[in-house]
Amino acid sequence: LWMAVGISISIIGAHLGGPAWLLGIPATVAALEALHRSRLPGHLIGMAARVPGLRNLSADIGWVPTSRRGLLTSLLSMEWGFFALGMGVLFGAILSAREAIVATAWYAGASIISLAAVMVPAGIAVREALFIGGNELVTAGAAQLTVLAVAARCILLTAEIGTAVLLNATRWAQRHE
């Protein structure tokens, strides 16, 4: 979440305000790396364990051992990289390269903002509506952004289903070895 926030703000800021905003990308990665290597998340989990309603939840949340904490930032960076690559290719079919990068950042930003829409089941269409509403960031019209938003939703849904199938197949294979 924080990586997507930092990168989205940096890219959209660079588009609207100038290239100095791009310094937010390495700053975001460095801040996340520092957080992952700190003891703060473990302390927060410990504090949550003291709250009666969160005891069971905090018991299920393990924290990565110190020797492997650097992997967290790497995994988040890889996830963002694959997301950005996929969305960039999809958006690049209609938009210029620069606009595809901005649209990718805005789609990620719209995804983050849509998390606040708790009244709508699964945020259905909230992300897409926000994305289409940001059409002043790119020269594409609302109709083109609607096509891109629907295609992105379908691709992401397919990826999530594929990930769940692969995870369950892997677990099944491990149980039957």
Side-chain angles (χ1 to χ4, degrees):
L1 176 69
W2 295 114
M3 181 170 282
V5 169
I7 292 174
S8 294
I9 289 172
S10 298
I11 291 172
I12 293 170
H15 177 69
L16 298 175
W21 280 87
L22 293 176
L23 294 174
I25 295 173
T28 298
V29 174
L32 279 173
E33 181 66 18
L35 176 66
H36 289 153
R37 292 188 180 271
S38 76
R39 297 185 186 275
L40 179 64
H43 290 301
L44 293 175
I45 292 170
M47 288 172 45
R50 293 186 193 111
V51 177
L54 297 178
R55 283 194 182 119
N56 293 337
L57 176 65
S58 62
D60 292 338
I61 301 173
W63 187 238
V64 177
T66 307
S67 62
R68 300 220 174 136
R69 288 188 186 164
L71 288 174
L72 294 175
T73 306
S74 299
L75 289 172
L76 285 171
S77 297
M78 285 179 13
E79 178 185 13
W80 175 261
F82 284 121
F83 169 81
L85 181 65
M87 292 296 117
V89 168
L90 172 67
F91 297 157
I94 294 178
L95 306 173
S96 69
R98 179 185 173 111
E99 288 183 330
I101 292 169
V102 173
T104 298
W106 175 236
Y107 191 84
S111 297
I112 294 163
I113 295 168
S114 72
L115 294 174
V118 295
M119 302 307 282
V120 180
I124 294 174
V126 173
R127 174 187 347 174
E128 289 75 17
L130 287 167
F131 177 69
I132 295 163
N135 64 344
E136 65 273 357
L137 292 173
V138 295
T139 58
Q144 288 177 317
L145 291 180
T146 301
V147 169
L148 291 173
V150 170
R153 174 65 84 151
C154 292
I155 290 169
L156 291 173
L157 180 62
T158 303
E160 289 173 6
I161 292 170
T163 301
V165 168
L166 184 61
L167 178 64
N168 285 320
T170 303
R171 287 182 180 166
W172 181 85
Q174 287 175 343
R175 281 193 306 257
H176 291 86
E177 284 184 344

